Amino acid sequence: MAKKSPKLDAKGYRKFGIRDCLAYAAGDLGCNMSFSLKGTVQTFWLVFMTMETGLLSILLLIVQIWDAINDPIIGSMIDADRRNYKRGKFKTYILVGAIGLTVAGALVFIPAPNASVVMKAILFILGYVIWDACYTVANVPYGSMLSLVTEDPGERAQLSTWRSVGSMVGGMIPGMILPMLIWKKEFNADGTPLLNPETGVQVETLLGDRVFLAALLMGVLGFIAFQFMLKNIVIRVDENTVKTNEAGEKFNVLKAFGNFMKNRPAVGATIAAMGMFLGMQSATTANTIMF
């Protein structure tokens, strides 16, 4: 039986439809397969790697500063790239980032509890920086690609909605899989649950060696999601017509940072957002460790 030919638009591309929406949703699902591991970082380094709380706090501050400057640096590099790629610039960068994320997420969870304090700090910073760079290489062009799939505002709104769906599903899957893989319930010799005498909650042990393997599994699942997106989404707008800087002025990271620091409302809003994020992450980690 002959396959039906897809309907084409005026430019000869496959008409926009649910296939594009599902593919775009898969992109954020792939991103969140890796991003969801962030909630396990503090628990892993405190409980399994036995890193001091003060040292981990300092290291987290260092990598968060890198996180703040990482996006505009890599984003400006992608924007300045004018080379012609077979897949197109955006799809090529997403593929490179997806390949990197397959293993980069696991680099933050290298099990070495007996390593020296200095080596632990090096492993943490290097692992996080590499993971964050790979994530940005995939995520920045993915977000920008929305304007390349279609020129219709209504269809772009659909893509944005489906991106939220992909993000939600991408957060649910690790939330269900990771606890079963990396936590072990403890029992007494008679088979009854071992309870914490202070909280009355069953004691669970973090299987640190498994966290690395679980992160690799999340990376593979994310790569599959990215591959689905790249094969099924169609870019209908010329990439060269989409510019983040209409005036053609080169992006200057230092100048942009200086202007940001002079903008008191922006600095205040950023500090508030950082405080909220750190508070939520700390509360989540505290609850995990306590219960």
Side-chain angles (χ1 to χ4, degrees), residues 2 18 53 78 83 92 113-114 124 160 202 231 238 245:
I18 189 64
T53 305
I78 296 174
R83 286 172 291 186
T92 299
N114 298 321
F124 179 85
S160 182
Q202 184 175 6
K231 289 182 179 180
D238 184 4
N245 188 347

Side-chain angles (χ1 to χ4, degrees), residues 23 35 39 43 108 137-138 162-163 173 210 212 253 257 266 282 287:
F35 188 78
T43 306
V108 191
V137 170
W162 278 94
R163 178 178 183 175
I173 294 177
R210 287 191 184 181
F212 179 80
V253 176
F257 182 76
S282 300
N287 284 330

Side-chain angles (χ1 to χ4, degrees), residues 95-175:
L95 177 61
V96 172
I99 293 173
L101 283 177
T102 305
V103 295
L107 296 180
V108 191
F109 303 103
I110 295 177
N114 298 321
S116 64
V117 175
V118 175
M119 182 56 65
K120 288 180 181 179
I122 293 174
L123 287 175
F124 179 85
I125 292 178
L126 284 181
Y128 192 98
V129 167
I130 294 172
W131 169 80
D132 201 25
C134 291
Y135 182 85
T136 303
V137 170
N139 188 257
V140 168
Y142 163 72
S144 302
M145 196 170 65
L146 184 146
S147 59
L148 300 172
V149 177
T150 174
E151 295 178 303
D152 184 88
E155 293 172 349
R156 288 182 178 179
Q158 291 183 50
L159 290 176
S160 182
T161 301
W162 278 94
R163 178 178 183 175
S164 300
V165 173
S167 176
M168 180 180 65
V169 176
M172 291 172 58
I173 294 177

Side-chain angles (χ1 to χ4, degrees), residues 32-41 109 170-184 204-207 210-219 221:
N32 275 280
M33 287 293 102
S34 182
F35 188 78
S36 61
L37 295 169
K38 242 185 174 182
T40 311
V41 171
F109 303 103
M172 291 172 58
I173 294 177
M176 294 184 292
I177 295 178
L178 284 177
M180 294 187 291
L181 295 178
I182 66 177
W183 290 97
K184 177 186 176 183
E204 294 188 39
T205 302
L206 177 65
L207 304 174
R210 287 191 184 181
V211 178
F212 179 80
L213 297 176
L216 284 178
L217 174 61
M218 293 297 105
L221 293 177

Side-chain angles (χ1 to χ4, degrees), residues 6-278:
K7 294 182 179 179
L8 305 180
D9 59 17
K11 294 183 179 180
Y13 296 111
R14 188 190 74 233
K15 281 193 173 182
F16 179 88
I18 189 64
R19 185 173 172 183
D20 295 283
C21 295
L22 291 173
Y24 199 68
D28 218 35
L29 189 152
C31 287
N32 275 280
M33 287 293 102
S34 182
F35 188 78
S36 61
L37 295 169
K38 242 185 174 182
T40 311
V41 171
Q42 295 179 55
T43 306
F44 173 82
W45 283 89
L46 286 174
V47 176
F48 182 74
M49 297 290 283
T50 63
M51 180 177 283
E52 291 292 334
T53 305
L55 175 59
L56 181 59
S57 300
I58 294 173
L59 296 179
L60 284 172
L61 179 61
I62 292 173
V63 295
Q64 288 304 317
I65 293 174
W66 159 253
D67 199 13
I69 64 175
N70 173 55
D71 285 10
I73 291 176
I74 294 181
S76 61
M77 289 172 57
I78 296 174
D79 187 51
D81 190 349
R82 292 292 181 265
R83 286 172 291 186
N84 293 320
Y85 295 95
K86 183 177 180 181
R87 288 173 171 261
K89 180 172 71 173
F90 286 81
K91 284 190 175 183
T92 299
Y93 273 100
I94 292 172
L95 177 61
V96 172
I99 293 173
L101 283 177
T102 305
V103 295
L107 296 180
V108 191
F109 303 103
I110 295 177
N114 298 321
S116 64
V117 175
V118 175
M119 182 56 65
K120 288 180 181 179
I122 293 174
L123 287 175
F124 179 85
I125 292 178
L126 284 181
Y128 192 98
V129 167
I130 294 172
W131 169 80
D132 201 25
C134 291
Y135 182 85
T136 303
V137 170
N139 188 257
V140 168
Y142 163 72
S144 302
M145 196 170 65
L146 184 146
S147 59
L148 300 172
V149 177
T150 174
E151 295 178 303
D152 184 88
E155 293 172 349
R156 288 182 178 179
Q158 291 183 50
L159 290 176
S160 182
T161 301
W162 278 94
R163 178 178 183 175
S164 300
V165 173
S167 176
M168 180 180 65
V169 176
M172 291 172 58
I173 294 177
M176 294 184 292
I177 295 178
L178 284 177
M180 294 187 291
L181 295 178
I182 66 177
W183 290 97
K184 177 186 176 183
K185 294 182 180 294
E186 298 294 342
F187 295 87
N188 294 307
D190 59 0
T192 57
L194 176 63
L195 303 180
N196 185 312
E198 297 181 0
T199 63
V201 178
Q202 184 175 6
V203 175
E204 294 188 39
T205 302
L206 177 65
L207 304 174
D209 294 328
R210 287 191 184 181
V211 178
F212 179 80
L213 297 176
L216 284 178
L217 174 61
M218 293 297 105
V220 171
L221 293 177
F223 182 75
I224 293 173
F226 275 119
Q227 283 295 96
F228 176 83
M229 183 203 72
L230 294 174
K231 289 182 179 180
N232 289 277
I233 204 163
V234 175
I235 291 182
R236 300 172 177 83
V237 181
D238 184 4
E239 294 181 351
N240 295 322
T241 64
V242 179
K243 298 179 180 179
T244 57
N245 188 347
E246 295 297 337
E249 181 182 353
K250 290 185 177 180
F251 181 79
N252 188 313
V253 176
L254 296 178
K255 182 179 179 181
F257 182 76
N259 291 334
F260 167 76
M261 294 303 297
K262 295 177 183 178
N263 191 327
R264 294 177 62 184
V267 173
T270 302
I271 293 175
M274 288 178 62
M276 181 181 68
F277 176 78
L278 291 174

